[in-house]
Amino acid sequence: MVNFKILPCVLLILCGGQQQQGDAVSVQDSYVLGRVYTQLAGYNPGLKKSTPLERLAQRHSCVKHHSDHRSTDQAALQLYNNYQANIACIGGCDEGSSNWSRNNPAGIWKEFQGRTNHYNNIISADVYGCSAAKRGNTICVFCYFANTN
């Protein structure tokens, strides 16, 4: 007899967490995701989590390059008529990186504030939604940012 309550979980594992249809989500590292949200709120206390942006960000299995989130960019744009997207590490993050850690997953955006627009995306937005998708030992930190006004 098939237990239909666990079947979606089995299917998600068999598919490698790569579903991108409907409201399917990737496998998240909840600790890293919590740290991302905490750090971003510290950088910009006016930021509020947008559940729709978070759902869009988490539809992807592992955003390693900006081209990896193109399938949800139009939906992000339709929510607030604007959006920005940040990726913490091109190719994914791991503890072996010299400027990334599970405890400081969004710090790389502040560290490079003079070289990229990522930190500006954080401080100029008022809503955001993020993903910390796991793929093996790699964690892909990706966030959408937008302004509601």
Side-chain angles (χ1 to χ4, degrees):
M1 178 174 216
V2 176
N3 184 338
F4 287 101
K5 290 183 180 180
I6 65 166
L7 187 58
C9 295
V10 172
L11 290 175
L12 183 61
I13 292 167
L14 292 175
C15 294
Q18 297 179 20
Q19 297 175 334
Q20 295 184 16
Q21 302 292 329
D23 283 334
V25 297
S26 54
V27 176
Q28 297 292 303
D29 184 310
S30 59
Y31 175 78
V32 172
L33 185 61
R35 292 294 304 144
V36 168
Y37 281 133
T38 297
Q39 284 187 277
L40 295 178
Y43 298 154
N44 178 351
L47 273 175
K48 302 223 181 319
K49 186 170 90 170
S50 163
T51 300
L53 282 179
E54 181 182 61
R55 285 184 187 139
L56 290 173
Q58 292 181 6
R59 281 191 192 174
H60 304 283
S61 61
C62 205
V63 176
K64 295 181 176 184
H65 306 278
H66 283 289
S67 59
D68 294 341
H69 61 79
R70 283 192 186 134
S71 65
T72 55
D73 288 351
Q74 188 61 38
L77 179 63
Q78 289 176 350
L79 287 171
Y80 302 107
N81 293 315
N82 67 91
Y83 79 91
Q84 296 294 326
N86 285 14
I87 298 172
C89 310
I90 297 297
C93 303
D94 62 56
E95 286 289 343
S97 300
S98 63
N99 59 353
W100 186 88
S101 73
R102 292 172 49 80
N103 291 325
N104 188 23
I108 194 168
W109 293 326
K110 188 169 185 178
E111 178 185 342
F112 285 89
Q113 67 181 306
R115 292 179 254 174
T116 70
N117 285 328
H118 292 122
Y119 187 72
N120 190 52
N121 292 344
I122 298 164
I123 62 171
S124 65
D126 59 15
V127 292
Y128 67 137
C130 298
S131 172
K134 294 190 295 188
R135 182 180 281 172
N137 291 328
T138 301
I139 299 176
C140 299
V141 178
F142 165 63
C143 297
Y144 276 122
F145 298 90
N147 285 291
T148 58
N149 46 13

